[in-house]
Amino acid sequence: MSKTTVYEVKVMFGDCDPAGIVFFPNFSKWMDASSLDFFMQCGIPPWRELKKTHGIIGTPLLEIHTKFFKPATYGDTLRVHTHVQEWREKVIVQKHVVQRGELVLCEGLETRAFVIHPDGDPDRLKAIPVPDFIKEKCL
Amino acid sequence: MSKTTVYEVKVMFGDCDPAGIVFFPNFSKWMDASSLDFFMQCGIPPWRELKKTHGIIGTPLLEIHTKFFKPATYGDTLRVHTHVQEWREKVIVQKHVVQRGELVLCEGLETRAFVIHPDGDPDRLKAIPVPDFIKEKCL
Amino acid sequence: MSKTTVYEVKVMFGDCDPAGIVFFPNFSKWMDASSLDFFMQCGIPPWRELKKTHGIIGTPLLEIHTKFFKPATYGDTLRVHTHVQEWREKVIVQKHVVQRGELVLCEGLETRAFVIHPDGDPDRLKAIPVPDFIKEKCL
Amino acid sequence: MSKTTVYEVKVMFGDCDPAGIVFFPNFSKWMDASSLDFFMQCGIPPWRELKKTHGIIGTPLLEIHTKFFKPATYGDTLRVHTHVQEWREKVIVQKHVVQRGELVLCEGLETRAFVIHPDGDPDRLKAIPVPDFIKEKCL
């Protein structure tokens, strides 16, 4: 497990589709933003800093699994509750619960790796073991 | 099962993130576009027509499950191969395989319902049984 | 002229492009969100309400003109300062100034009309004179 | 002046807003894609190549000015006609005309600079004179 952080999102008109509700991939965008916010709230520097110090480019997704229960629309304020559900050797699983007030709108699992550009080659990405200094800050 | 359709996507600069690769929610956007393209290739009218004739607003997502194997970047041409993997009473499961040439970049399952505005109330959405005339055209 | 409102935006990773900075059309998205927020802060109901009461669908853009001075990146908190610079018979011009702290990052003018679906036809849009009740609330 | 290139765009459901039409910042995204496509059709390598060979990161926007005449919706196929209208010392002005068939939907001017990371500092951007080898290929 880990700490749980909360990331607030205000839904914009441009986030919504012709059905008048949030276009669903935006929930993934917001979970991704909340994932990064989680690391920053835990005291991890932004990736552009970690790239310089540790070569870490970011935490690309290996897998996402999201369930949508209720729609949202523009003008809504949402809160994404985020924690790490599972730490594996080279992978973490983050869970995000998106709420409007007490109402749960959707839930998602993200499986992420920490990646570098091997040998500094900007065209390639390689997963590394979850760094200890990152895990320690998140618990 | 069903027919399989192919939807082509050209990756734009604005689809990519600071890691230089496609920002992953865009794969969901493209699968959604391929889902709609599937129905249209099968001879189903666009939702804005079905709204008038059958009250059907669209096929919002109940659940998505996506695995990412390889990144893509701007300038790439991708093909989304789409079919219906499962027909349930009120739900269908579509499978999308995104390829660049022969290489599979990601795969996703989408669980969708067909929805209407019950009693014409534009603020509410309600699932209906999968319409027979839609299923027949897709097989 | 009019009131001036302020709309806060937190820049997400997914808002940024391979150059590591905000992909510029997102500034237009945020100005659009601030435009709507302006009307709501002035006491105008959301378009989905005005559609029912006055048939007004929204305020689509006729023209935008934006200057970009400084980039922003993920993690930044921006403020969009919005007011109506000009009221014409069928058109308004809104000005948006996007700042990070005191630093002005970009400025944009939006020319907007208020539109309805003429004769209830959802496939057509028609501009109407700027409604007095809207102008009065904004001054 | 310059060559004129054509870039095709298929409008997706997720490109449209609650009014059922293309959310206007997407036209900017497509003009940007057509701008890059213009350079590639003229024989300029992608920015990720030019970054290695010339340090050029891309062509960020200094200014955009767009007029919207007609809406588009999902299922539409659009064509963006792109050329360089003006070459200045450190700046170019590209013009984009977006059509559906013969119908002009919108027109936009983009003022762009060519930028590098000065002294290799990834946090800064600096404009350079328009490179001759680029101009020559575009004429």
Side-chain angles (χ1 to χ4, degrees), chain D residues 2 6 9 13 22 27 31-32 34 37-38 48 59 61 72 96 101 109 120 122:
Chain D
S2 75
V6 178
V9 172
F13 183 80
V22 168
F27 285 107
M31 289 179 187
D32 181 71
S34 188
D37 176 72
F38 168 86
R48 61 181 168 269
T59 52
L61 272 299
H96 307 279
L109 296 178

Side-chain angles (χ1 to χ4, degrees), chain D residues 46-73:
Chain D
W47 309 130
R48 61 181 168 269
E49 295 303 319
L50 283 182
K51 185 177 177 183
K52 294 175 204 162
T53 55
H54 293 75
I56 298 173
I57 304 302
T59 52
L61 272 299
L62 303 182
E63 189 172 341
I64 59 171
H65 192 170
T66 312
K67 295 181 185 182
F68 305 95
F69 306 119
K70 295 281 180 187
T73 192

Side-chain angles (χ1 to χ4, degrees), chain A residues 7-15 20 26 29-30 32-33 36 40 46-48 57 73-76, chain C residues 7-15 20 26 29-30 32-33 36 40 46-48 57 73-76:
Chain A
Y7 183 77
E8 191 176 287
V9 172
K10 284 176 293 186
V11 182
M12 300 183 192
F13 183 80
D15 294 320
N26 287 314
K29 183 192 178 197
W30 300 333
D32 181 70
L36 176 56
M40 295 186 75
W47 309 131
R48 60 180 168 270
I57 304 301
T73 192
Y74 58 94
D76 286 353
Chain C
Y7 184 76
E8 190 176 290
V9 173
K10 284 176 292 185
V11 182
M12 300 182 192
F13 184 79
D15 294 319
N26 287 315
K29 183 192 178 197
W30 300 332
D32 181 71
L36 176 57
M40 296 186 74
W47 309 130
R48 61 181 168 269
I57 305 300
T73 193
Y74 57 94
D76 286 353

Side-chain angles (χ1 to χ4, degrees), chain B residues 107-127:
Chain B
E107 285 184 2
L109 296 178
E110 296 181 326
T111 306
R112 292 177 175 276
F114 291 83
V115 300
I116 61 171
H117 287 320
D119 309 319
D121 179 350
D123 291 346
R124 292 169 57 214
L125 294 172
K126 186 188 168 193

